[in-house]
Amino acid sequence: MIRIAKARPSWCHLPFNQPLGFGLQRSLLIAALVTCSSQALAAGDDREALLKRIVELEAKISRMDSIERRLRELETTAVLSDPETYVSKVEIFVDDDGVEHPTKQPGSHSVVTYQRERVYRRQTINEKIEDALSGDASSRVQVGVDAAITMQYANQQDGDGGDADGEFYQLASMDLYFTAELAKNTIFYADIVGLSGTTPGSEIGGLTDINGYTARLRENDDQLNDLSLREAWLQTQLFDQQLSLTIGRIDLTSFFDGNAVANDETSQFLSDALVNNPMLGLSENGAGMAGVYDPKNGFTVKLGYQQSDSTATNLSDSLFQMAEVGYQFNPFGTGVGNYRAWYRSNNNDNGGSLSGYGLSLDQKVSAGITVFGRYGEAETLAGDDDEFFSGGVQFSDGFGFNPNDVWGLGFANTVLGNDDEETLFEGYYTMSLAERLALSFHLTYIEEEPDGADDFSYLVPGFRLQASY
Amino acid sequence: MFSNKRFVRQLQAVFIGLLATVSLNAQEIKIADPASVVVIVNRDSNDISFMDIKSHKIVGKVFLGNNVNPHMAMMSSDGRWVVTGGTRANKAYIIDVATLTLKKEIAVGFAPEHLAFSPDGRYYYQGNPDGDSISVIDMVSMSVIKTIEGLAEPLNITFTPDGSKAYVANYGSHWVGVIDVSRHELLKKIHVGSAPALAALDPERYLGGIKGVSNVSISNDGRYLYAADGDLGIVTVIDSREDKVIKKIQVGADPWRAYMSHDGRYAVTANNGDETISIIDTQVNEVVATLEAGPEMMGINFAADKAFVISSTTGFLYVYDMKSLKAAGRIKIGHVQIETSTTDTADAKLYLASSTDNSVYIIDAKTEKVERVANVGLYPWGTHILDSKDNYCH
C-alpha cells in the first residue's frame, strides 16, 4: 500500500492521500503527477487545460475504483478467496537439543510430523462442494449392486425323455456388495447374493453347471430361493502393497484359476465349465485365507486355503489348500498373454488327501482377439483321474455392432475317472446397452455320455440381462 | 540546437546510466544457463521455483501474487522466459529466467491452465478452458494480440514442428481444432469420433458430463496426430498434411491422453476407466499391448527404455519395459499425492511433483532409486525442463 503525501500545487486535485491498491490506478496517478509537474514547471499559463485534463483523470480513477470494488465483490461471492487451511505431513530433522531443521544436519534424526499450512488457493464454490462430498463419500460404506436375469430354454437333441426337454427356466440373481476402508490399504468386503428361480442344470443333470450363477452356492438342484453370504472378508496390503492378505469367508476361485476372457458368468460365458476349471474341486465357498504376492512385474504367486465342506466340524477335517504361479508376458510381440499353473490339495472322507493341478492361459493374438485355454487333472477315490480341458476365443474392440460389444466361442470337455464324459459348446454375444446395463444372448450345446447309460444332448438358447450399479 | 557542453553532459549521463544498468544486471543474473534448472509450479504458494539440476538446490522463486494458483509453466525455446497461467487470477505471467523477476502480467481469458509456445518462440498460446478460448500473446510486444474463440474447454495446444498450425484438444467436445498460426484463426474442426448408437439409452453417461479430447500428441516427424477421447475410449489418428482422420483405435476405458515414446515408436494411453495402459504401435497404428496399471493416472514419462506411469492418489509409479512391452514393477513414492513429471534431456532422471508433501522426487530411470527434495514450495503441481521430451501437465 502506497500513500503519497508530497506537497503539490493547489490546482492539482489528485487524491494523493488515498490508499492505492490497484496497479493500473497507481501508474496512471504517477503519469498524471508527472504530467502535472512538468506542465506546471513548464509554464503555468495553460492552467485551464491542465485542470480539465485532471478532472478527466479523476473521473477515470473513480471508475477504476468502482471496477476494483466490483471485482472484489465478485471474488468474494462467486469464488472463495479465504486462505485455505490444511494439514500436511512433513519430514523434519531433530537434533539432540530438540531443535528442528528442515534438512539433515549432523547429529539430527528424521521425524515425521504434521503441520498446518495456510495457503492462498482460490476455489470456486463448486470445487468446495465437490471436495466436501468426495471426502464424505470416502468415509462411508460403499454399496454396489449386481442384478441379473437369465432365461434359458432346453431342447433335447439326442436321447429320450429328458426332464428338461421343452422346458423354460428363469433365474433372478442379485448381489449386494459392501466395501469399507477400515485403515490405510485395509478394506472390509461383503457380498450377499440372492437367487430365485430355476436353471436347466437341475433337470439336465450334467457334470458341470450350465448356469454359472449358481456355482458354489447351490444346495439343492430343484428350486432356488436363497439368500446367501457369498463372501465376507478383510483384506490388507503389506510391503509396499506387493502382498495382499485376505481372510474371512472367501471364494477361492476369485483368486485362483483366473482368466481374462473366461472367468466371469456376469459378462462372459454363462456355463460354469467356461468360468472355472471343474478340477479345482471346490463345491462351495467357506472360511479361509488367500495371500497374493504381486510385485507388478508380470510374476504373481498365490497361496490360499479354505474350508471346503461347510458341514465339517473343524477346519482340519475339510482343509482345501491351493497354490498358483502366474506370469504375464508378450511372446513374440503377438500381444499380452497370461499364463497360470496351480496345484491344490484337499482332505477327503477317508482321512487322506486328493490333489489336482491345472493350467489357465489367455493370449491376445491381435488387439481385439484373445484366445484362451484351460487344462486340469484331479485325483479321485475311484482310482483314475478326472480330466478337463477347455478353449475358445473372445472378440472385442470393434468386432461387434457397437464398440463395447463382446462375443465369444468356447468349448469344454470333462471326463471323470468313472468314464462319465461331458462335452459343451457355448457362444455368446454381449451388447453393452448402457454403461451399467448389458444384454447377452447365449447358445449352449451340451452332450452327456454317462458310463453305462444312454448318451443325451441338449441345445440351450438363452439370454442374460445384467445390471451393475 | 544543443550546445556542445550540454550534449557532452547528456552523453555522460547516458553512459553512466548504461554502466549502472549493466552493473545492476550483472549483479542480478541468477540463472546463467536455463537448461540447468527444473522449473516447478507451486499452486498454493503461488510461485514458480527454480531448482538446480546438479545440486538439487532451489536457486530462486518468483512470487506471482496471492490467489494466482499457477497451473503449468513452460520455458521459451531460447530459455529466456518462463510463462505460466494463473488459473484463479485470469492472467498470464512472464518471468525473466536470468534475473528471476516477474517481467509482465497480462490479463487473459477465464481460468487459464495449459499453454504452448510456437516453435520459433514468437507466440505464446494460453488456453482458457473455462472461457472456451485461447489468448494469443505476442512475445515481442508481450501483449494479447488475439483471442481465439469458439472452442470447447481447450485443454492443450500442440504446434506442428514448422509452426504453421496448432491443434487444440477440446475436452468439452469430441473434436480437435486446427488453428492457422499465421492468422491465429480456427480453420476447421476435426471430428474424432461419435458416441455409439446405443448412447441414447445412457443419458447419464453422455449428458451428465463430457470427457472429450484432452491432448493432441504429435509424432516425431509431425506427420500424425494422436487424439485420445475419454468418453469414446478411442485414439483417433489424424494426418496433419490433410487434417484428415485416418484411423480410430479402440483402447481401454476413459483414456486420458496418448503419450509419445521418445523414439516415436509407441503412443501409450493411460486408461483411467479400467486402470490399464494401451500401447499403440505407431507404425501400424494398432494396440500391441494392454497392461494393468493403477487408478487416477496423471502422466507417463519415458526414460531408459521404460515407461513410468504416474498413479496420482496411490503414490506409485508403474513401470513398463518398452522393449518387451511388459510390466516391470512399480516404484513407491509414498503415501502422497503425486502429480506430473518431466524427464531430463539425457533421458536419465524424472522430476516428479508431489503436491501433498511439497516435494519433488528425483527418480533415476535406470536404477529406480528415488531422491526427495523437500520444501520446493506449497503444493507443487508440475515440473518443466528446457527441451525435455516429457513436458506436459495434467
Side-chain angles (χ1 to χ4, degrees):
Chain A
M1 190 174 292
I2 298 170
R3 284 179 188 274
I4 301 168
K6 282 189 175 177
R8 63 195 189 280
S10 60
W11 43 264
C12 209
H13 299 293
L14 288 171
F16 287 102
N17 294 319
Q18 286 185 6
L20 305 175
F22 202 64
L24 189 57
Q25 180 180 334
R26 194 174 61 193
S27 306
L28 281 171
L29 271 172
I30 291 167
L33 273 171
V34 171
T35 309
C36 287
S37 308
S38 59
Q39 292 194 5
L41 287 171
D45 54 354
D46 203 9
R47 289 179 64 178
E48 197 173 327
L50 279 171
L51 282 169
K52 190 180 172 187
R53 180 68 183 145
I54 289 163
V55 168
E56 287 174 3
L57 285 169
E58 278 184 331
K60 285 181 179 172
I61 289 166
S62 171
R63 180 164 166 70
M64 282 191 287
D65 284 341
S66 166
I67 292 170
E68 186 179 17
R69 191 167 53 249
R70 287 177 62 186
L71 182 64
R72 283 189 189 134
E73 285 173 7
L74 195 65
E75 284 177 350
T76 49
T77 55
V79 293
L80 301 174
S81 298
D82 287 342
E84 183 85 2
T85 300
Y86 62 81
V87 178
S88 64
K89 189 171 81 172
V90 292
E91 184 184 14
I92 55 168
F93 297 89
V94 180
D95 64 22
D96 291 340
D97 297 329
V99 178
E100 289 186 7
H101 303 276
T103 56
K104 177 83 176 162
Q105 302 292 324
S108 66
H109 62 279
S110 168
V111 173
V112 172
T113 184
Y114 296 86
Q115 180 176 302
R116 193 197 72 170
E117 280 170 356
R118 186 181 290 276
V119 300
Y120 289 90
R121 182 197 298 171
R122 185 176 285 159
Q123 288 184 297
T124 65
I125 292 165
N126 280 344
E127 287 170 336
K128 274 281 188 191
I129 293 170
E130 280 174 14
D131 283 354
L133 289 176
S134 64
D136 185 46
S138 64
S139 61
R140 288 183 178 180
V141 175
Q142 307 287 316
V143 180
V145 177
D146 262 12
I149 296 168
T150 58
M151 175 78 87
Q152 290 172 290
Y153 171 76
N155 181 257
Q156 189 161 7
Q157 302 292 300
D158 295 313
D160 296 321
D163 292 340
D165 187 25
E167 304 293 347
F168 281 96
Y169 302 85
Q170 181 175 332
L171 179 75
S173 164
M174 188 275 298
D175 279 75
L176 195 58
Y177 307 103
F178 302 90
T179 311
E181 186 169 357
L182 305 178
K184 190 76 182 173
N185 302 328
T186 303
I187 61 167
F188 168 77
Y189 173 87
D191 175 8
I192 295 171
V193 58
L195 290 168
S196 180
T198 54
T199 66
S202 58
E203 293 191 320
I204 289 176
L207 298 183
T208 62
D209 281 317
I210 201 166
N211 187 325
Y213 280 88
T214 57
R216 287 165 296 284
L217 287 171
R218 186 168 53 193
E219 291 180 356
N220 68 72
D221 285 348
D222 299 331
Q223 175 67 38
L224 293 163
N225 196 7
D226 300 329
L227 191 65
S228 313
L229 179 65
R230 191 197 293 265
E231 294 177 78
W233 42 254
L234 280 171
Q235 184 181 75
T236 189
Q237 294 178 315
L238 307 168
F239 307 117
D240 288 347
Q241 294 173 257
Q242 292 187 100
L243 176 65
S244 75
L245 295 175
T246 307
I247 187 162
R249 178 178 171 83
I250 58 177
D251 177 2
L252 273 188
T253 62
S254 300
F255 299 90
F256 297 86
D257 188 40
N259 198 291
V261 295
N263 198 215
D264 184 2
E265 70 275 11
T266 68
S267 63
Q268 298 164 347
F269 295 100
L270 192 54
S271 308
D272 194 48
L274 294 168
V275 175
N276 280 116
N277 192 326
M279 300 301 109
L280 284 170
L282 263 179
S283 60
E284 58 188 317
N285 298 339
M289 182 172 169
V292 178
Y293 175 69
D294 183 2
K296 302 291 180 189
N297 62 4
F299 274 108
T300 52
V301 178
K302 302 176 182 180
L303 291 169
Y305 70 84
Q306 181 196 309
Q307 185 173 359
S308 58
D309 180 2
S310 57
T311 61
T313 53
N314 61 67
L315 180 62
S316 309
D317 286 345
S318 60
L319 190 60
F320 183 98
Q321 301 164 86
M322 203 162 175
E324 181 183 292
V325 291
Y327 185 54
Q328 181 186 69
F329 70 119
N330 196 339
F332 314 112
T334 52
V336 176
N338 295 289
Y339 296 80
R340 311 161 192 87
W342 54 261
Y343 174 85
R344 59 93 172 163
S345 163
N346 64 303
N347 295 349
N348 63 38
D349 295 339
N350 295 341
S353 68
L354 295 172
S355 63
Y357 68 90
L359 304 168
S360 173
L361 67 93
D362 55 84
Q363 173 68 54
K364 270 192 180 292
V365 293
S366 80
I369 303 176
T370 307
V371 296
F372 72 92
R374 278 194 176 93
Y375 177 77
E377 277 193 39
E379 289 179 326
T380 64
L381 287 171
D384 291 339
D385 290 352
D386 294 344
E387 196 173 353
F388 169 83
F389 67 92
S390 67
V393 60
Q394 186 204 64
F395 299 88
S396 61
D397 292 350
F399 278 90
F401 297 114
N402 290 295
N404 294 325
D405 289 359
V406 175
W407 58 284
L409 300 167
F411 72 93
N413 181 265
T414 309
V415 181
L416 301 187
N418 62 6
D419 288 338
D420 285 356
E421 183 171 355
E422 176 190 276
T423 303
L424 179 146
F425 294 89
E426 182 180 343
Y428 75 92
Y429 187 97
T430 298
M431 293 175 68
S432 179
L433 299 177
E435 194 171 15
R436 301 187 180 101
L437 188 65
L439 178 65
S440 306
F441 298 97
H442 298 259
L443 184 62
T444 308
Y445 174 80
I446 184 168
E447 184 178 284
E448 301 288 339
E449 299 172 52
D451 186 43
D454 293 338
D455 298 351
F456 58 92
S457 65
Y458 282 87
L459 192 64
V460 184
F463 72 84
R464 170 184 65 201
L465 187 64
Q466 176 77 32
S468 305
Y469 197 84
Chain B
M1 289 290 289
F2 292 108
S3 68
N4 280 346
K5 201 174 178 182
R6 191 178 169 194
F7 177 71
V8 169
R9 197 180 301 150
Q10 284 186 335
L11 201 63
Q12 280 176 338
V14 169
F15 185 66
I16 290 166
L18 276 173
L19 271 179
T21 308
V22 170
S23 166
L24 193 65
N25 282 344
Q27 285 174 354
E28 288 181 347
I29 294 292
K30 290 177 179 165
I31 294 174
D33 177 10
S36 68
V37 291
V38 181
V39 181
I40 303 162
V41 183
N42 298 311
R43 204 178 76 175
D44 281 355
S45 50
N46 299 293
D47 55 28
I48 306 294
S49 297
F50 292 79
M51 182 176 78
D52 186 82
I53 288 179
K54 282 184 181 167
S55 67
H56 302 164
K57 303 282 185 198
I58 300 295
V59 294
K61 292 182 181 181
V62 179
F63 180 64
L64 305 169
N66 284 339
N67 291 323
V68 166
N69 304 141
H71 191 96
M72 175 189 185
M74 184 174 274
M75 201 177 268
S76 58
S77 54
D78 60 3
R80 188 173 177 194
W81 311 111
V82 160
V83 298
T84 185
T87 306
R88 295 301 177 207
N90 301 333
K91 286 181 182 174
Y93 297 81
I94 300 176
I95 294 165
D96 185 313
V97 174
T99 60
L100 293 187
T101 52
L102 183 58
K103 179 78 175 175
K104 192 86 185 272
E105 295 178 31
I106 304 166
V108 292
F110 198 39
E113 287 186 357
H114 303 133
L115 54 97
F117 271 111
S118 61
D120 61 2
R122 174 71 191 270
Y123 301 112
Y124 154 27
Y125 275 32
Q126 176 63 64
N128 310 305
D130 288 4
D132 296 337
S133 68
I134 289 173
S135 301
V136 181
I137 295 170
D138 177 9
M139 289 301 290
V140 175
S141 63
M142 290 198 176
S143 61
V144 174
I145 58 168
K146 192 155 189 178
T147 301
I148 303 168
E149 307 276 3
L151 303 163
E153 203 177 339
L155 217 53
N156 278 291
I157 304 143
T158 306
F159 282 90
T160 52
D162 64 2
S164 62
K165 289 188 284 188
Y167 293 86
V168 182
N170 294 277
Y171 200 58
S173 71
H174 302 292
W175 53 268
V176 169
V178 186
I179 306 287
D180 176 356
V181 175
S182 62
R183 292 182 294 156
H184 309 297
E185 281 181 4
L186 181 61
L187 275 181
K188 62 174 88 168
K189 301 175 177 179
I190 302 174
H191 183 68
V192 298
S194 303
L198 290 166
L201 291 170
D202 209 353
E204 189 183 334
R205 179 178 172 192
Y206 291 97
L207 296 175
I210 189 164
K211 293 177 179 175
V213 186
S214 73
N215 187 69
V216 179
S217 303
I218 194 163
S219 60
N220 284 350
D221 60 3
R223 173 80 189 273
Y224 299 109
L225 303 152
Y226 293 81
D229 188 292
D231 277 341
L232 307 182
I234 58 171
V235 170
T236 297
V237 187
I238 299 165
D239 185 333
S240 67
R241 290 195 302 194
E242 301 176 61
D243 288 333
K244 192 172 79 175
V245 172
I246 59 167
K247 191 161 187 182
K248 294 171 186 171
I249 306 166
Q250 195 80 29
V251 292
D254 191 10
W256 175 232
R257 60 182 276 183
Y259 298 82
M260 306 300 290
S261 65
H262 295 178
D263 59 4
R265 173 81 192 275
Y266 299 111
V268 185
T269 60
N271 311 314
N272 283 313
D274 56 13
E275 299 182 3
T276 62
I277 61 164
S278 298
I279 302 177
I280 298 167
D281 185 334
T282 56
Q283 291 176 344
V284 291
N285 286 331
E286 283 183 3
V287 173
V288 289
T290 302
L291 300 169
E292 182 192 338
E296 295 178 74
M297 293 173 279
M298 288 295 173
I300 301 177
N301 289 56
F302 299 91
D305 292 324
K306 300 173 189 173
F308 297 83
V309 178
I310 300 165
S311 173
S312 178
T313 50
T314 64
F316 279 109
L317 286 180
Y318 286 75
V319 186
Y320 300 89
D321 184 328
M322 292 306 289
K323 283 186 173 170
S324 61
L325 302 186
K326 63 185 281 291
R330 58 182 181 181
I331 303 168
K332 181 161 188 175
I333 302 299
H335 294 304
V336 290
Q337 181 166 316
I338 50 180
E339 304 295 345
T340 58
S341 175
T342 187
T343 309
D344 63 13
T345 51
D347 284 359
K349 289 182 178 174
L350 277 62
Y351 294 81
L352 172 67
S354 172
S355 56
T356 50
D357 65 347
N358 305 327
S359 302
V360 163
Y361 288 87
I362 302 167
I363 298 116
D364 186 307
K366 199 170 181 182
T367 64
E368 299 183 9
K369 282 185 179 170
V370 179
E371 179 187 349
R372 181 184 174 208
V373 179
N375 304 321
V376 298
L378 297 182
Y379 222 79
W381 193 246
T383 54
H384 176 96
I385 291 176
L386 181 64
D387 293 334
S388 165
K389 289 178 179 169
D390 291 325
N391 278 327
Y392 62 88
C393 191
H394 289 74

